[in-house]
Amino acid sequence: MSRRIESVQDLAQLPPEELLPCLRALRGAIGEARRKRAEDRREGRVAADVPLSFPAFDWYPRGSRRISLPARIDPSTPIDEIPIRSGARAALKSLGIFYLEDLSAITERELLVKESIGRHTAELLREVLLRVGLDFMPNRS
């Protein structure tokens, strides 16, 4: 099932766990539209002064990831119960993260500087955090 995104209001209506994947897909779609427009301008199919038109975006969310989590999960769930690689678990503990709620005290950027933690692990951890009503701290500019 697709979701039609025509406004910021449409984005605001997405469930929290769908917002970031949708924004990533939207960014890719805008980049592709800009690339196609540049090609059309080079080939003379579009005048240089015609602005890019991007009125809507149809997003097709993937099925939610199947994460094998404990039957009961909450902010006090130990990191040891989250299905991540042992190297990533050790990296989290070196950051002083022993429970899910500890993850909400750091930024995703701080997490990604650890060698054993990559984008996939960070996304998985964000999904788990969202399931218990938490998220990483916003990245500092």
Side-chain angles (χ1 to χ4, degrees):
M1 177 176 87
S2 72
R3 297 191 191 275
R4 187 148 186 93
I5 307 298
E6 296 179 355
S7 67
V8 173
Q9 183 63 30
D10 293 336
L11 288 170
Q13 299 305 312
L14 290 174
E17 65 275 6
E18 291 183 10
L19 182 59
L20 287 175
C22 180
L23 289 173
R24 282 188 206 99
L26 178 59
R27 180 181 180 193
I30 290 171
E32 179 60 24
R34 287 178 175 168
R35 187 201 58 73
K36 185 177 178 339
R37 180 170 173 262
E39 181 181 301
D40 288 345
R41 289 171 86 181
R42 278 192 307 275
E43 301 293 324
R45 294 185 292 253
V46 174
D49 61 342
V50 175
L52 175 67
S53 176
F54 198 86
F57 169 66
D58 289 318
W59 180 58
Y60 297 89
R62 293 181 185 163
S64 63
R65 285 188 212 138
R66 300 271 184 227
I67 301 174
S68 177
L69 292 173
R72 185 179 160 276
I73 184 170
D74 60 41
S76 64
T77 300
I79 284 296
D80 290 331
E81 294 182 18
I82 306 303
I84 56 176
R85 293 176 302 106
S86 60
R89 187 173 292 109
L92 290 174
K93 289 180 178 180
S94 75
L95 288 169
I97 297 168
F98 300 96
Y99 300 95
L100 282 180
E101 63 193 351
D102 297 338
L103 282 168
S104 66
I106 66 168
T107 67
E108 185 175 7
R109 191 174 294 148
E110 290 172 307
L111 188 65
L112 289 169
V113 299
K114 297 302 274 185
E115 188 174 316
S116 298
I117 299 178
R119 174 74 41 205
H120 176 76
T121 300
E123 288 175 5
L124 182 137
L125 291 171
R126 170 169 272 130
E127 184 176 331
V128 173
L129 282 172
L130 290 171
R131 287 186 185 188
V132 298
L134 299 172
D135 200 353
F136 294 114
M137 285 181 55
N139 287 321
R140 298 176 194 103
S141 298

